[in-house]
Amino acid sequence: FSALPEESFARELAGRRGFDQGTLRYLAHACEGRLGCALASGGTDLLSEKNRIIDYFILRQEPGADRPFVQDRLALRQSLKVLCGWFRDLYVCKAGLADERHLINSDRGELLVRMAQETAFSRLDEAVQTLQDSLLALEQNANTKLVLACVLSGVSVAEAP
């Protein structure tokens, strides 16, 4: 099956579950238009996990002993994809398109706008390059702890609030 366009995805999922537009938009992105993935995820669990990843990598808030988003290769890869969406949104905000319709992480819109104002394009470019290099390293079977250390040192863009 091919992926559904965001509008069709949102319409179909909204008919089955009572998600708000922000949740539907994030699910369309995170599940790459695959309805089965979104239905299996439960939606709210996926959003809370996404926010825990952002809090850990971007805001440097330690989640305690429980960090399932970095425990293995697949989980780390998913975390890096979440971060790619975050940095995409920072670029969108820097371009002046901070309307929630354009943001994957619309639930964190105010933080995105603030961070976009504080961060130079060159710093965003460096962070995205770190993410791309890290994803490639994971595909090439690099040690996950090494990849995690590189990501943590390379994606910091602004002071945490």
Side-chain angles (χ1 to χ4, degrees):
F1 297 100
S2 60
L4 292 173
E6 184 175 334
E7 298 80 26
S8 300
F9 179 92
R11 187 173 44 254
E12 183 68 29
L13 194 57
R16 297 179 189 210
R17 306 266 175 100
F19 295 130
D20 60 58
Q21 286 300 316
T23 303
L24 290 171
R25 189 175 306 104
Y26 182 73
L27 285 172
H29 171 75
C31 293
E32 299 172 337
R34 295 172 293 154
L35 196 55
C37 168
L39 291 171
S41 74
T44 54
D45 293 339
L46 195 61
L47 279 176
S48 63
E49 186 67 9
K50 171 207 57 118
N51 285 327
R52 287 180 63 205
I53 291 166
I54 292 167
D55 291 346
Y56 178 68
F57 285 99
I58 304 299
L59 302 180
R60 305 305 169 127
Q61 295 176 359
E62 185 61 47
D66 184 29
R67 296 186 306 180
F69 45 84
V70 296
Q71 288 180 347
D72 60 38
R73 185 172 303 282
L74 181 60
L76 182 55
R77 183 177 181 280
Q78 285 303 113
S79 296
L80 296 179
K81 289 176 75 174
V82 167
L83 294 174
C84 287
W86 179 262
F87 282 97
R88 175 238 180 239
D89 283 353
L90 283 172
Y91 278 111
V92 169
C93 289
K94 283 197 77 64
L97 301 170
D99 185 295
E100 72 175 27
R101 294 173 296 147
H102 302 294
L103 299 176
I104 295 167
N105 297 285
S106 59
D107 61 319
R108 311 285 295 267
E110 290 178 22
L111 177 60
L112 281 162
V113 169
R114 191 178 76 244
M115 286 183 76
Q117 292 169 346
E118 298 170 354
T119 308
F121 275 114
S122 61
R123 185 63 199 113
L124 291 178
D125 293 343
E126 291 169 8
V128 169
Q129 187 63 53
T130 296
L131 290 172
Q132 290 174 336
D133 292 346
S134 298
L135 283 165
L136 180 61
L138 279 178
E139 286 179 25
Q140 295 174 342
N141 207 27
N143 181 295
T144 55
K145 290 180 182 180
L146 179 61
V147 172
L148 177 60
C150 290
V151 172
L152 286 171
S153 69
V155 297
S156 177
V157 294
E159 288 293 318

